[in-house]
């Protein structure tokens, strides 16, 4: 994108990755997060899907070292489940867990990764790990987030005053855009209607001419 | 200047049309002859006309010169990000997507005249993004080159036999790279395959560096190598798997950028190009203009944090 003004607005949208539902720092005990649900949203998988789309990226931004794997299946009747893996002893939060480091040493093809064909179902906990699961089937994404927050004990990240100002500006910009869009839509609609009328009139004229010939 | 005949004519018209269209003017028209007077712009002297023409020409030239280059913009320092910052955002944006469908991509924005030769070359990245190169070699049957091709793992080789394969099934070729030995070039020209191979970009030519003396070295160079080419003032290319660590990605980015800079330097005597901007993006993520630094601005986030499995 070349237009510098447009580019600035796009970059401001990075705020959406930084702040939003799920922007929280997880405690150091958590080693990895695993989500299992179906490809489509019917049969109660909508909440899980929305959680992934709206909350998980904020969570990933604030916890870049924690593997978050989304394993989806084509089977809509499968359960929708989130597994959160805790290690027993809390370590220093500034280093990624030994397990995550070990996983990242593997060749790329063997690393656990997100999948759309049920390649990596939730693994068994390693030694010294315990699993907390959240049932996400037929649950709203907000409720999933609430449950997730209470079960993990994550601390929310508040936007700084500068970011708040930026957010407000962005909101104002969006409002202005909506107004401008409405004006533009009216203009285009009017133009289209006129064109349609003209075409109709021309058609009629042609028909009359044909009848006279 | 109104002549008397015009005045009389207007008077006559006035007397005829008063009943139909009364005039608003209180003064009769013949008393104000300037109303009927029309003005013409004089053609001017020869010098004036010449000057006019000159002006017009200048205007047109200005309009044309404005679009001689592709548009570009140089982002300010605040808009640029370090590699780890960009990766942090991109990994967040791509969370939960299967790595087979997601790559890091690099766009190199180049300031270049529109009517200039484009940059194109082949690069062997330190960490290849994907490896599905299948090479076919056009060489004389039974020659040393053919032996090299077989040893190098070419999927098809030969001269007439290969042409036959291409002619028989032009829409489903078993290879995606085609190279040619110098000795077989006349045979290739004679085979008249340009119509089939040209649109696929497979036709061997010296320009694309696919006609060679040494099949062996070229094949070695090509396996895991990617072609790139400048389009509309930018080179765009997949640069890494989403699972790459910052160090791996940095090595790839560095390799590509140095290669392109070298290309630009080689072209310097013919055309002037500049590398304006390096943008890192991913399949579904936003684009980040890179500032050339590696470490994150947030000192809590180390490269090790960005190396974990997604």
């Amino acid at each position: 994108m070349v237009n510098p003004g447009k580019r600035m607005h796009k970059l401001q949208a990075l705020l959406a990755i930084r702040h939003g539902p799920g922007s929280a720092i997880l405690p150091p005990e958590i080693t990895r997060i695993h989500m299992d649900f179906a490809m489509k949203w019917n049969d109660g998988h909508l909440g899980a899907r929305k959680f992934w789309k709206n909350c998980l990226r904020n969570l990933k931004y604030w916890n870049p070292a924690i593997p978050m794997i989304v394993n989806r299946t084509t089977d809509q009747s499968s359960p929708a489940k989130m597994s959160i893996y805790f290690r027993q002893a809390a370590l220093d939060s500034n280093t990624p867990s030994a397990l995550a480091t070990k996983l990242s040493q593997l060749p790329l093809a063997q690393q656990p990764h997100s999948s759309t064909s049920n390649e990596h179902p939730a693994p068994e906990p390693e030694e010294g790990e315990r699993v907390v699961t959240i049932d996400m089937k037929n649950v709203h994404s907000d409720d999933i987030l609430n449950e997730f927050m209470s079960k993990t004990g994550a601390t929310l990240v508040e936007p700084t005053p500068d970011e708040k100002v930026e957010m407000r500006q962005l909101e104002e910009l969006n409002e202005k855009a909506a107004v401008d869009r409405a004006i533009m839509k009216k203009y285009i609609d009017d133009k289209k209607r006129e064109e349609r009328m003209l075409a109709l009139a021309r058609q009629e004229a042609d028909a009359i001419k044909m009848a006279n010939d | 200047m109104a002549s008397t005949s015009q005045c009389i004519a207007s008077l006559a018209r006035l007397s005829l049309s008063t009943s139909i269209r009364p005039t608003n003017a209180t003064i009769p028209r013949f008393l104000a002859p300037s109303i009927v007077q029309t003005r013409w712009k004089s053609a001017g002297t020869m010098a004036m006309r010449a000057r006019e023409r000159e002006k017009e020409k200048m205007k047109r030239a200005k309009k044309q010169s404005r679009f001689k280059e592709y548009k570009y913009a140089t982002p300010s320092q605040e808009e640029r990000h370090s590699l780890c910052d960009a990766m942090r955002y991109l990994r967040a944006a791509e969370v939960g997507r299967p790595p087979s469908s997601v790559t890091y991509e690099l766009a190199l924005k180049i300031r270049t005249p529109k009517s200039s030769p484009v940059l194109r070359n082949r690069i062997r990245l330190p960490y290849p993004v994907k490896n599905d190169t299948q090479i076919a070699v056009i060489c004389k049957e039974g020659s040393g080159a053919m032996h090299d091709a077989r040893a190098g793992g070419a999927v098809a080789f030969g001269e007439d036999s290969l042409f036959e394969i291409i002619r028989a099934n032009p829409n489903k070729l078993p290879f995606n790279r085609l190279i040619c030995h110098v000795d077989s070039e006349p045979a290739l020209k004679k085979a008249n395959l340009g119509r089939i191979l040209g649109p696929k970009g497979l036709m061997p030519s010296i320009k694309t560096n696919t006609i060679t003396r040494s099949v062996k070295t070229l094949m070695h160079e090509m396996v895991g190598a990617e072609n790139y080419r400048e389009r509309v003032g930018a080179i765009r290319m997949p640069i890494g798997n989403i699972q790459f660590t910052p160090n791996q990605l940095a090595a790839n980015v560095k390799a590509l950028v140095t290669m392109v800079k070298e290309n630009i330097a080689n072209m310097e005597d013919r055309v002037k190009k500049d590398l304006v901007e390096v943008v890192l993006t991913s399949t579904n993520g936003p684009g980040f203009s890179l500032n050339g630094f590696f470490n994150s601005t947030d000192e809590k986030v180390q490269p090790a944090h960005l190396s974990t499995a997604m």
Side-chain angles (χ1 to χ4, degrees), chain A residues 17-19 22-26 57-64 157 163, chain B residues 88 298:
Chain A
I17 294 182
R18 258 179 286 154
H19 294 292
S23 53
I25 294 177
L26 295 170
R57 67 180 180 174
N58 295 332
L59 211 56
K60 180 74 180 172
Y61 178 82
W62 288 105
N63 309 281
V157 182
E163 283 170 337
Chain B
R88 184 180 179 188
D298 184 354

Side-chain angles (χ1 to χ4, degrees), chain B residues 25-46:
Chain B
T26 46
I27 310 166
R29 273 197 183 195
F30 59 87
L31 288 181
S34 67
I35 292 173
V36 275
Q37 181 183 13
T38 50
R39 285 179 178 219
W40 298 96
K41 187 189 173 193
S42 72
T45 60
M46 289 288 269

Side-chain angles (χ1 to χ4, degrees), chain A residues 69-93:
Chain A
I69 285 164
V70 176
N71 180 52
R72 289 184 289 162
T73 63
T74 44
D75 178 16
Q76 291 296 131
S77 61
S78 63
K81 200 180 69 174
M82 173 156 38
S83 325
I84 306 157
Y85 294 74
F86 288 81
R87 70 189 132 184
Q88 307 295 24
L91 292 171
D92 182 18
S93 62

Side-chain angles (χ1 to χ4, degrees), chain B residues 57-297:
Chain B
K57 218 172 171 183
M58 286 261 284
K59 223 185 209 171
R60 215 174 304 140
K62 210 171 172 187
K63 214 171 191 178
Q64 275 172 0
S65 71
R66 215 186 305 158
F67 301 114
K68 284 234 165 102
E69 280 179 350
Y70 289 111
K71 265 186 169 182
Y72 71 95
T74 27
S76 62
Q77 208 54 40
E78 300 88 68
E79 287 175 273
R80 300 188 180 208
H81 299 251
S82 74
L83 185 76
C84 279
D85 276 342
M87 274 184 84
R88 184 180 179 188
Y89 276 113
L90 291 176
R91 277 164 65 94
E94 302 288 358
V95 69
R97 302 221 180 241
S100 56
S101 65
V102 173
T103 52
Y104 288 112
E105 281 151 34
L106 203 69
L108 303 175
K109 301 287 169 68
I110 292 161
R111 182 185 172 184
T112 168
K114 282 181 184 174
S115 61
S116 71
V118 295
L119 296 170
R120 59 193 295 185
N121 209 339
R122 196 162 44 223
I123 187 173
R124 202 184 162 79
L125 293 172
Y127 299 93
V129 181
K130 56 179 179 185
N131 210 346
D132 56 353
T133 327
Q134 282 162 325
I135 304 174
V137 184
I138 301 171
C139 53
K140 287 239 162 40
E141 314 272 346
S143 65
M146 187 167 165
H147 179 76
D148 284 342
R150 186 179 284 133
V155 288
F157 40 79
E159 222 163 57
D160 292 333
S161 57
L162 185 55
F163 296 154
E164 213 40 59
I165 292 174
I166 295 167
R167 266 195 218 103
N169 212 347
N171 287 330
K172 215 180 163 195
L173 298 173
F175 52 85
N176 47 21
R177 297 277 191 287
L178 184 62
I179 60 178
C180 180
H181 193 258
V182 177
D183 298 344
S184 302
E185 203 191 339
L188 175 71
K189 288 247 169 73
K190 222 194 234 165
N192 222 352
L193 289 170
R195 195 163 280 205
I196 300 170
L197 296 174
K200 296 181 200 296
L202 288 171
M203 189 70 189
S205 77
I206 293 172
K207 220 160 136 199
T208 56
N209 241 342
T210 41
I211 292 181
T212 176
R213 266 178 201 296
S214 164
V215 169
K216 199 174 172 183
T217 50
L218 185 62
M219 278 184 78
H220 175 73
E221 211 180 290
M222 257 190 171
V223 174
E226 287 276 337
N227 289 318
Y228 64 83
R229 151 191 198 126
E230 173 198 331
R231 286 194 169 88
V232 203
I235 293 173
R236 295 167 209 279
M237 193 181 175
I239 195 81
N241 190 313
I242 196 76
Q243 293 168 302
F244 275 3
T245 64
N247 288 322
Q248 286 175 322
L249 195 66
N252 275 0
V253 171
K254 210 170 170 185
L256 183 60
V257 170
T258 42
M259 182 101 173
V260 169
K261 273 187 180 161
E262 214 172 274
N263 279 355
I264 290 174
N266 287 345
M267 273 192 168
E268 211 161 33
D269 48 347
R270 274 186 292 159
V271 60
K272 199 170 152 19
K273 299 195 183 215
D274 297 322
L275 184 59
V276 173
E277 193 184 4
V278 180
V279 181
L280 182 73
T281 176
S282 67
T283 309
N284 307 297
F288 293 89
S289 196
L290 297 182
N291 60 5
F293 294 112
F294 178 75
N295 280 330
S296 173
T297 42

Side-chain angles (χ1 to χ4, degrees), chain A residues 1-2 4 7-8 11 14 17-18 52-53 56-57 60-62 64-65 67-70 94 96 100 104 108 111-114 116, chain B residues 71-73 79 81 88-89 91-93 95-99 109 241 243-244 277 286-288 300-301 304-310:
Chain A
M1 194 181 301
V2 170
R7 201 204 291 251
M8 275 308 278
L11 277 182
L14 294 184
I17 294 182
R18 258 179 286 154
W52 164 45
K53 289 271 177 188
L56 202 63
R57 67 180 180 174
K60 180 74 180 172
Y61 178 82
W62 288 105
M68 297 178 189
I69 285 164
V70 176
N94 278 344
S104 64
L108 292 186
Q111 280 182 16
H113 55 77
S114 301
T116 51
Chain B
K71 265 186 169 182
Y72 71 95
E79 287 175 273
H81 299 251
R88 184 180 179 188
Y89 276 113
R91 277 164 65 94
V95 69
R97 302 221 180 241
K109 301 287 169 68
N241 190 313
Q243 293 168 302
F244 275 3
E277 193 184 4
F288 293 89
K300 268 187 204 155
V301 178
H305 289 91
L306 299 168
S307 315
T308 55
M310 282 281 287

